[in-house]
Amino acid sequence: MDNARIGGSGRLRALPTRLVGQVAILANRATERALEPTGSRRYHYALLATLDEHGPLSQAEVGRRTGIDRSDVVAAVNDLADRGYLTRTPDPSDRRRNTLALTPAGRTHLHDLDTRLEAAQSELLPGFTPAERANFVLTLTRILELHARD
């Protein structure tokens, strides 16, 4: 393995923080390449996937469930609503709150994004067996869960 390509010395390669940062750069690039032809971004996908999994939710709840900052949620919702991928209606129980729902066009778009992101996963993890990939996801999930307690 070429040490220069993966970050230099053994000391640098032994730092999980450095390695995770470098992998995050690769992951973001693969994701952006996969989504770019669709005009959608990572936040768009997160919002659509959350609505697909949980049904209509308040805009604030979508933000909490995705961990996306409120101002970024507003921008992504505006874009997705303009493109016909979700509806935004006043919540009947609290007219100050918006309820978001996936449209049929949004569900179709989400399916396209899922397919493209599956290709990005394969690009990021070439040569990984399904078991290795599942273990990698499990390890990353464990890190996130341990830090969610903070």
Side-chain angles (χ1 to χ4, degrees):
M1 185 173 293
D2 181 0
N3 288 344
R5 288 191 64 208
I6 62 166
S9 73
R11 178 181 286 160
L12 294 175
R13 289 192 326 267
L15 296 172
T17 52
R18 179 172 170 81
L19 294 171
V20 168
Q22 289 183 305
V23 170
I25 291 168
L26 295 172
N28 288 336
R29 287 178 185 159
T31 298
E32 294 302 323
R33 273 192 302 275
L35 298 180
E36 193 274 329
T38 71
S40 286
R41 313 279 291 176
R42 288 177 286 169
Y43 287 169
H44 294 119
Y45 178 78
L47 295 177
L48 294 173
T50 299
L51 292 172
D52 187 52
E53 290 176 23
H54 300 285
L57 295 169
S58 74
Q59 193 164 309
E61 182 62 20
V62 170
R64 281 190 290 278
R65 288 178 186 246
T66 59
I68 300 171
D69 183 78
R70 183 180 309 163
S71 63
D72 293 325
V73 168
V74 170
V77 165
N78 287 342
D79 188 43
L80 291 168
D82 289 346
R83 294 167 69 189
Y85 296 147
L86 61 79
T87 59
R88 176 181 38 204
T89 57
D91 185 327
S93 65
D94 183 350
R95 310 268 318 149
R96 298 168 296 172
R97 185 169 56 188
N98 286 320
T99 297
L100 306 176
L102 198 59
T103 65
R107 190 163 278 109
T108 299
H109 185 63
L110 177 60
H111 177 71
D112 180 38
L113 298 180
D114 281 333
T115 301
R116 291 171 180 278
L117 287 174
E118 181 57 36
Q121 306 320 296
S122 296
E123 178 185 330
L124 178 67
L125 304 172
F128 272 51
T129 66
E132 289 170 325
R133 186 169 160 176
N135 189 50
F136 183 62
V137 169
L138 182 66
T139 301
L140 294 173
T141 301
R142 182 169 178 223
I143 293 168
L144 291 172
E145 287 173 349
L146 290 169
H147 286 275
R149 297 177 189 167
D150 294 345

